[in-house]
Amino acid sequence: MKTEHLTIKELTDTVGGGVTPRMVRHYHTLGLLPPVQRSEGNYRLYTQQDVQRLQRIIALKQQGFQLSHIRQLLDSHSEETIDPTLMAQLQQQYRSVIQQITRLRQTASALEGLLGQDRDCQITQAEALAQLKQLEVDTQEGLGKLDQLWINLDAETTTHPEAFQESLQRLLPDLSHYSEITVHLLHQLVLACGDVSLVNFVRLSRDAIAAAWDALKFGCSVVTDVPAVAATLDHTRLAHLGCSVEALIDDPHITGASEAEQAFWDHHLWQKRLQQIPKGCVLVIGYAPSVLLSACQLIEQQQIQPAFVIGMPIGFSHAPAAKRRLMETQIPYITIQGSLGGGLLAAMTLNALVETLIEKPDCHCYLTRP
């Protein structure tokens, strides 16, 4: 049986993702793609194996891996041992990325210092921009003027309270595609952590707000992973709705992510209690990623049926994995992608939902927009 081959144009069309013949030729030059069979007219001919390899290259590139690292990853002949040289190179790339993030964070802070000024600070803001135009940064005197510029801006902060909503209007991206309830939630999350970029990592299922409100209206149980999260909840408003609050890992000495994670693994009592959470409850996880992973597994096995899950544990490998798994379940959820999260953000999420439920019970904008 004759094997069907693809031309370079057919290869790029099959893979998609903006891949061009020029990129494919470049990958051949770098050794990312192996030499291939040629036609009588000297055109490259590709097989399905080449398609799969190119797809892997593109996927890894989109994740931020350098081309040299991609080649090493794809050409590794061992599935059981780790190449220490490659791991050292990846660690160096990670440190370089963190340095870039640090520089970008410094730039963002400077811009926030200017754009985030409220109406009462606008005169000082205009003066600061005027000074920036004339700044001579190549002299020591110029650097001193830059420091003085920020000192002048800081002086205005003692004359009035900060108008947070004014600042957010200038700093947040366009949120018009979100419902009023979701926008309020995003505002509260940003104010809880001080990081405007957080809104780009918040993920919620389309039915998340409706599911949360329906459960809270009927006085559902609220189950948190640790007491520290439970303590940050708005107990007054929850009591008004008839909602009870309990901590899964009921140990007041556990106040951090590593302690919560270890406690959940060490004591089967907490794992058993997770299996017994009430049907229709709201599950709020802000610290231990293994609690969220276990909850997702129990949901998939239909052993527990929470009405809604706030999944925001902290962690660098388990937490991102747990959040991805949560987003694959059929349970309504709100989460924050990656390692970002924490008990305060998880609690603030529920608090914001409870606040809008009580203060705007007739608002139904969330039924048409997430």
Side-chain angles (χ1 to χ4, degrees):
M1 180 177 178
K2 186 178 179 180
T3 304
E4 183 178 352
H5 289 90
L6 303 175
T7 64
I8 193 168
K9 180 65 168 60
E10 291 169 335
L11 171 71
T12 57
D13 289 344
T14 301
V15 173
V19 182
T20 65
R22 183 178 180 180
M23 291 169 61
V24 173
R25 296 186 189 99
H26 181 56
Y27 294 158
H28 277 297
T29 302
L30 296 177
L32 273 166
L33 287 173
V36 294
Q37 183 180 338
R38 296 268 185 168
S39 69
E40 292 182 1
N42 202 33
Y43 292 104
R44 289 187 175 97
L45 299 176
Y46 296 92
T47 66
Q48 285 302 313
Q49 285 184 322
D50 298 314
V51 172
Q52 292 175 359
R53 185 174 177 95
L54 183 55
Q55 287 173 332
R56 290 174 185 143
I57 292 169
I58 300 305
L60 290 169
K61 185 180 176 184
Q62 289 174 344
Q63 289 293 312
F65 285 93
Q66 295 177 359
L67 294 179
S68 59
H69 298 158
I70 293 174
R71 179 181 177 182
Q72 289 177 270
L73 282 168
L74 296 182
D75 291 344
S76 174
H77 297 295
S78 174
E79 301 293 334
E80 299 178 357
T81 60
I82 297 175
D83 181 351
T85 302
L86 175 59
M87 293 305 293
Q89 291 175 349
L90 292 176
Q91 188 177 44
Q92 183 59 42
Q93 183 186 358
Y94 173 76
R95 289 171 178 165
S96 176
V97 169
I98 293 299
Q99 289 175 353
Q100 294 175 41
I101 291 173
T102 301
R103 288 193 292 270
L104 289 172
R105 181 66 258 177
Q106 291 170 340
T107 302
S109 295
L111 292 170
E112 287 164 357
L114 291 170
L115 298 173
Q117 300 293 322
D118 53 37
R119 192 173 297 117
D120 292 330
C121 292
Q122 284 184 353
I123 294 176
T124 308
Q125 182 185 48
E127 292 175 352
L129 289 170
Q131 291 178 45
L132 281 174
K133 292 179 184 179
Q134 303 175 11
L135 193 64
E136 298 177 6
V137 294
D138 58 338
T139 67
Q140 196 62 38
E141 181 183 358
L143 294 174
K145 289 179 180 179
L146 183 59
D147 291 336
Q148 188 61 45
L149 183 152
W150 296 116
I151 292 172
N152 292 341
L153 278 175
D154 292 344
E156 283 297 313
T157 63
T158 63
T159 63
H160 61 279
E162 182 164 352
F164 289 107
Q165 294 306 319
E166 284 185 34
S167 299
L168 287 176
Q169 291 304 319
R170 294 186 179 90
L171 299 174
L172 285 170
D174 180 21
L175 301 177
S176 60
H177 58 292
Y178 285 119
S179 70
E180 179 184 350
I181 306 302
T182 303
V183 169
H184 174 72
L185 166 62
L186 294 173
H187 280 201
Q188 295 303 102
L189 289 175
V190 169
L191 291 175
C193 68
D195 186 353
V196 176
S197 69
L198 181 76
V199 299
N200 299 306
F201 300 97
V202 176
R203 297 289 181 271
L204 65 163
S205 58
R206 188 166 185 83
D207 55 347
I209 306 297
W213 273 29
D214 287 345
L216 293 166
K217 282 178 186 176
F218 290 99
C220 68
S221 298
V222 175
V223 181
T224 69
D225 53 346
V226 295
V229 177
T232 316
L233 294 177
D234 189 337
H235 288 263
T236 301
R237 285 193 169 108
L238 285 169
H240 174 77
L241 293 170
C243 298
S244 61
V245 178
E246 64 175 295
L248 182 70
I249 305 174
D250 192 14
D251 183 343
H253 300 292
I254 293 176
T255 57
S258 60
E259 295 171 331
E261 181 78 351
Q262 198 61 49
F264 186 73
W265 276 95
D266 289 346
H267 303 286
H268 293 293
L269 170 63
W270 311 133
Q271 299 174 31
K272 186 175 181 180
R273 287 185 65 175
L274 179 60
Q275 298 172 16
Q276 297 170 343
I277 62 172
K279 181 179 180 180
C281 70
V282 169
L283 186 57
V284 185
I285 301 171
Y287 281 98
S290 287
V291 173
L292 183 56
L293 281 168
S294 297
C296 290
Q297 184 177 11
L298 293 171
I299 289 168
E300 292 161 359
Q301 296 171 351
Q302 299 184 341
Q303 294 187 42
I304 62 173
Q305 293 182 321
F308 171 63
V309 177
I310 297 173
M312 300 182 181
I314 301 171
F316 303 101
S317 59
H318 288 54
K323 294 167 184 178
R324 285 191 290 269
R325 190 162 181 176
L326 173 63
M327 290 188 282
E328 292 174 357
T329 69
Q330 300 302 311
I331 296 294
Y333 66 83
I334 295 179
T335 188
I336 301 175
Q337 283 186 312
S339 60
L340 298 172
L344 177 60
L345 293 177
M348 286 301 299
T349 299
L350 185 61
N351 289 345
L353 294 172
V354 170
E355 177 189 353
T356 50
L357 172 59
I358 293 176
E359 297 186 359
K360 299 181 179 181
D362 298 322
C363 179
H364 297 102
C365 57
Y366 61 89
L367 296 176
T368 56
R369 287 186 289 173

